[in-house]
Amino acid sequence: MSKKTDSNLYTVLFAIGMVLVVGALLAFTASSLRPTIDANKRIEKQQNILYAMGVNENDETSVEFVSKDKVAEEFAKYIKKQLVIEGDNVSEDAEAYLIDIKKQQTAAKEGKTRKLPLFVGEKEGKTFYIAPIRGKGLWDAIWGYVAMDKNMVVQGVFFDHKGETPGLGANIKQRYFMDDFIGEDLMNNGSFKGISVSKSNNDPKNEDKNDNEVDAIAGATITGNGVAAMIKSEIGLYVPYFKTLK
């Protein structure tokens, strides 16, 4: 006589039981970790915004954010306003930095009014306008923050990615690439142009800040094009607001 455990019914019931047990454990773990995950997301966004406006702990070559234990204090110190732009309406929201850019892009595609967060920072007597951006790289999403003055001249950036190639497209978050954007003018003869990531820039020291170009990363053409497209499509949405600052 065969054992009950050898039957197909037993196998199916055992599999169902394991799925239920493992699913319950995963759900419990996710629920338990949710506050920590949410807190880390808040910290990361604050660090990224501050980094773009030059509030960080960099040495000459590294990328070092404001430490987690100081970021809330530094964010409150340097970020004076958090704005939400919806069409012609501009309002303040103390948690505008938590707005999900991906969801807002989807809403815009569905014909809804998109919320555009904009952070106004002050440091050493200068005013910074920091905008979040999101786009598509070679393999997956890329995103970042662009800090500008009222004339839309870049004062700093931060870029990140989900799955770009290490040593190639992933280098968009390296200092040598991000620092090239500092001082670049997003405008050209009064019109918004953005910044191209060009293989034919012929400006290795990036001395020309009015050409709307920075040098590309070798072997990362598609990711570089994604950065340029992201800047043009996302920052372009803020142009009407910047015109009100004139």
Side-chain angles (χ1 to χ4, degrees):
M1 181 181 293
S2 62
K3 297 180 181 178
K4 291 183 179 180
T5 55
D6 292 336
S7 69
N8 290 335
L9 179 60
Y10 176 85
T11 302
V12 170
L13 292 175
F14 180 80
I16 292 173
M18 288 300 297
V19 168
L20 292 174
V21 170
V22 172
L25 288 173
L26 289 174
F28 174 77
T29 301
S31 177
S32 300
L33 293 177
R34 178 53 57 188
T36 301
I37 293 171
D38 289 344
N40 285 337
K41 285 182 178 179
R42 287 171 178 262
I43 289 170
E44 182 179 12
K45 288 188 174 185
Q46 290 179 342
Q47 287 175 322
N48 292 173
I49 293 166
L50 290 173
Y51 186 95
M53 67 173 288
V55 180
N56 50 58
E57 297 178 2
N58 288 350
D59 58 24
E60 291 193 6
T61 58
S62 68
V63 174
E64 300 292 339
F65 300 108
V66 172
S67 59
K68 290 184 176 182
D69 60 328
K70 296 194 302 183
V71 68
E73 178 183 351
E74 295 291 88
F75 194 77
K77 174 182 176 182
Y78 288 103
I79 302 301
K80 303 304 181 180
K81 292 181 183 178
Q82 295 188 59
L83 305 178
V84 179
I85 303 168
E86 295 183 78
D88 295 329
N89 183 52
V90 180
S91 60
E92 290 193 39
D93 183 342
E95 292 194 334
Y97 74 101
L98 295 177
I99 290 175
D100 189 317
I101 303 305
K102 182 179 179 181
K103 288 182 179 179
Q104 292 304 313
Q105 289 175 330
T106 301
K109 290 178 181 177
E110 295 173 350
K112 301 175 184 176
T113 302
R114 177 174 170 179
K115 293 181 179 179
L116 298 172
L118 185 67
F119 315 104
V120 183
E122 291 183 10
K123 186 185 72 164
E124 298 173 356
K126 293 178 61 177
T127 300
F128 299 77
Y129 300 87
I130 307 102
I133 56 178
R134 184 180 177 88
K136 181 73 170 64
L138 173 60
W139 302 112
D140 213 316
I142 56 176
W143 60 87
Y145 294 87
V146 178
M148 301 159 278
D149 65 13
K150 67 178 183 179
N151 297 312
M152 300 195 81
V153 174
V154 177
Q155 304 300 303
V157 302
F158 176 74
F159 299 129
D160 207 343
H161 65 93
K162 185 174 182 179
E164 299 307 285
T165 307
L168 298 174
N171 285 351
I172 61 172
K173 63 184 294 184
Q174 294 297 317
R175 279 283 301 277
Y176 76 86
F177 181 70
M178 294 192 293
D179 287 356
D180 268 1
F181 286 82
I182 299 173
E184 289 286 337
D185 196 339
L186 287 156
M187 306 295 289
N188 189 291
N189 293 322
S191 298
F192 179 77
K193 187 173 181 180
I195 300 172
S196 297
V197 180
S198 174
K199 293 189 293 184
S200 58
N201 188 31
N202 296 319
D203 183 19
K205 293 184 179 180
N206 199 37
E207 296 174 340
D208 187 352
K209 296 296 184 178
N210 296 305
D211 60 355
N212 301 98
E213 291 185 344
V214 298
D215 275 355
I217 299 170
T221 300
I222 295 177
T223 306
N225 290 343
V227 170
M230 172 173 68
I231 291 172
K232 189 167 186 176
S233 64
E234 295 288 282
I235 299 300
L237 298 173
Y238 291 87
V239 172
Y241 173 80
F242 278 89
K243 287 182 177 179
T244 69
L245 301 177
K246 302 294 185 182

